[in-house]
Each structure stands twice: as structure tokens, then as C-alpha cells.
Amino acid sequence: MTQRTRTRKAISIILGLVLAGVGLFGFGYMQFHVVQPISIKFWLIPITMFGAGVAILWDDFKSP
């Protein structure tokens, strides 16, 4: 596997943190501020964003 540049790795870490944070924020907002029942399709949006952010961060910290 090729070595990543420092700039690319920094951008990737920032992107992973932002996606994970937005996913957590969206999940928390839907959990605590939405009164009516929500379709499972709408729950998948923050869960997917959080999962993508964690996957990006996992790849960044796992590989050198």
C-alpha cells in the first residue's frame, strides 16, 4: 500500500471527525427533540454518517 501524505491524512482525519460528530448530533437530535415517530429510513441517515466517519478514522489510525 502506498504511503499517504501528511496533508491527505490530516484532511481525512478531519473528515472522519466531522462525519462522526454530525452522525452523533443527528442521532441525539432525533432521539431527544423529535416528538412524532420517525421512519427507519430517516434513522439510517445519522447512523450511516457516524459509521462512515468511524470507518475513515479507523483506517487512518490503523494504517501508518
Side-chain angles (χ1 to χ4, degrees):
M1 186 175 281
T2 61
Q3 184 78 16
R4 292 185 182 163
T5 62
R6 296 172 83 182
T7 305
R8 183 175 172 193
K9 190 162 185 160
I11 291 170
S12 183
I13 289 173
I14 291 169
L15 177 66
L17 287 173
V18 167
L19 281 173
V22 167
L24 282 176
F25 177 76
F27 183 80
Y29 179 80
M30 288 172 56
Q31 184 73 29
F32 298 114
H33 294 293
V34 177
V35 179
Q36 298 175 349
I38 301 174
S39 172
I40 190 70
K41 291 183 276 187
F42 291 116
W43 280 105
L44 290 176
I45 296 168
I47 292 170
T48 303
M49 292 178 74
F50 176 74
V54 169
I56 290 171
L57 290 172
W58 179 269
D59 184 52
D60 285 338
F61 290 119
K62 190 180 98 172
S63 61

